[in-house]
Structures are given as C-alpha cells and as structure tokens.
Amino acid sequence: MIKIAVLVSGSGSNLQALIDANLSGKIVGVVSNRPNAYALERAKKANIPSCIIEHKDFPTREAFDDAMQKQLQAWDVDVVILAGFMRILTPKFVHAWEGRMLNIHPSLLPAYKGMHTHQRVLRTGDMWHGCSVHFVTAELDAGQTIAQGVVQVQHHDTAESLAARVHQLEHVVYPQVVELLCQGHLLYQSNTQILYKGKILKDPLQICQI
Ligand code: GRF
C-alpha cells in the first residue's frame, strides 16, 4: 500500500477531502509548518499522526526541509501531497521527491502562477478559471499539469465567490488524481513527460467542470 504524507499550513479542507475519499493509499502522516493550522485538528479527528515543524525554528530553508525529510523518512513515506502548504521548498527537497510529490494550485496553469489567482482572473476578465494538479518541480507552480477542474466565471463573481467554487472543485479533483498516483496510473518520466495509463499525457485530464 502506498504511504502518503500530506503537508499543510492552513485550514486543510483538501486534506479533509483526501481523508474522506478512502484512497487505496494510506495517509500515514500530516506535517504542518504552522502550529495553529486547523488541518492538524482534522488529522487528529481522523487518527492520523501529525507533526508540527515550524519553519521559524530553523536558520535556513535547507535546515527546515531536512527536518521535514527526516520525519517523512521516519514514516517511510512513498508520496508527498502538498495541500495548502505555504512554503517554498528547496531544490534538494524537491529533487528527493521528484515524480512523487503533487501540488494543487487554484488556477488553470500555466496561467496565474503564484498568489491572488482569483483577483487576477477577474481583473483580466477571463471566462474560465479553475484548479490544476501538477508534479512539483524546482520552479514554482511550473511542473507539468496532470489534471484540471474548470469553473465558468460569472459576471457577478467576486474573488470570494470564485475562490469558494474553485475550492469546492479542488476537493473533487485532488483525491481523484492522488488515487491515480496510488494505483500506479501516473508515471513521472521527466519534467515534460508523464505517462497516464501507459500513454504520454499530452493535455491535462479534465476531471470536472462547474
Ligand atoms: C487551496 O486553494 C489550494 O489550491 C492552495 O491552497 C489552498 C489550500 O486550502 N494550494 P485548504 O487548506 O486545503 O483548505
């Protein structure tokens, strides 16, 4: 069985969706870099071991990442899932988990990497928005996108209403992609090549639209 660790910093609604999804893999641990992250409560309720590793206790990003790496090794983790984890990871850590670490980002990547995606979508006047799941690579939000969920932007949308719909979609899309990884249906070959069920993935899987 694939052993999963989930890295969080905040509310952990994506963690909750993964817990509720009854994945074929097992979530063996949750790491938070913030002691008051609500995600920790969710882990506790689900009887999942958790661990707080506060980045501010470490002199460098490398030292912080090394501490996380130690914990992940102690849990004998196979796959790392970033779920609202708000720290930039060092190239060493990313390299150690290359092809085995996923992130979800609230935009239709490659559009709108980084922060404040909902506001930026509204400002541009886009018709479509959504979320993307990708393998994590050293460059921020730049790994090849595996799957997306799409949201139609309505004329009355605000950043808050859009964020809420995208979030809802994330909870559908992320567990499905994590399950594909657990089942061995996703194979990372390089930064630009992923195999999905044995075939090269040319375009992101479209999992859901609302
Ligand atoms: C989500 O919007 C995700 O796309 C982004 O961080 C947020 C995490 O939300 N990476 P939650 O903590 O899972 O509720």
Side-chain angles (χ1 to χ4, degrees):
M1 187 185 279
I2 298 285
K3 296 190 210 99
I4 302 165
V6 184
L7 271 47
V8 297
S9 303
S11 132
S13 66
N14 279 288
L15 167 66
Q16 190 66 55
L18 293 168
I19 292 170
D20 295 342
N22 282 317
L23 299 166
S24 61
K26 183 175 174 124
I27 304 177
V28 294
V30 170
V31 178
S32 174
N33 65 320
R34 298 214 177 110
N36 54 357
Y38 185 66
L40 291 165
E41 295 297 316
R42 299 183 191 270
K44 198 171 166 192
K45 276 191 199 131
N47 285 318
I48 298 169
S50 65
C51 163
I52 300 163
I53 304 178
E54 279 193 81
H55 56 273
K56 61 179 180 53
D57 292 344
F58 295 87
T60 60
R61 280 188 194 278
E62 285 73 18
F64 169 68
D65 283 5
D66 284 350
M68 286 204 298
Q69 181 71 342
K70 256 197 188 149
Q71 181 59 65
L72 299 178
Q73 278 165 355
W75 284 330
D76 196 20
V77 164
D78 299 305
V79 162
V80 175
I81 304 298
L82 305 183
F85 183 69
M86 300 301 285
R87 292 297 295 172
I88 292 175
L89 297 163
T90 56
K92 183 181 163 201
F93 186 90
V94 172
H95 185 67
W97 292 98
E98 191 175 353
R100 300 184 297 148
M101 179 157 62
L102 298 182
N103 181 42
I104 190 158
H105 180 75
S107 80
L108 297 174
L109 289 172
Y112 307 110
K113 296 171 183 171
M115 306 280 282
H116 309 301
T117 58
H118 315 297
Q119 288 91 328
R120 289 155 69 200
V121 161
L122 287 175
R123 216 176 300 136
T124 313
D126 292 348
M127 257 183 86
W128 302 102
H129 185 33
C131 60
S132 306
V133 179
H134 62 95
F135 280 110
V136 178
T137 54
E139 201 188 326
L140 186 71
D141 300 329
Q144 195 190 335
T145 300
I146 301 163
Q148 293 181 319
V150 177
V151 162
Q152 186 162 18
V153 182
Q154 309 290 342
H155 68 273
H156 50 75
D157 263 321
T158 60
E160 290 70 33
S161 66
L162 256 188
R165 287 215 304 296
V166 170
H167 231 134
Q168 212 183 316
L169 198 60
E170 290 180 6
H171 304 155
V172 177
V173 173
Y174 215 4
Q176 290 192 42
V177 180
V178 173
E179 183 58 20
L180 287 175
L181 192 64
C182 289
Q183 302 246 351
H185 291 320
L186 283 175
L187 265 186
Y188 176 92
Q189 296 206 303
S190 74
N191 192 12
T192 51
Q193 188 163 302
I194 296 166
L195 294 189
Y196 169 61
K197 296 189 173 170
K199 292 200 177 120
I200 292 172
L201 183 68
K202 292 209 176 93
D203 299 304
L205 305 169
Q206 296 294 330
I207 294 218
C208 176
Q209 182 176 323
I210 52 173

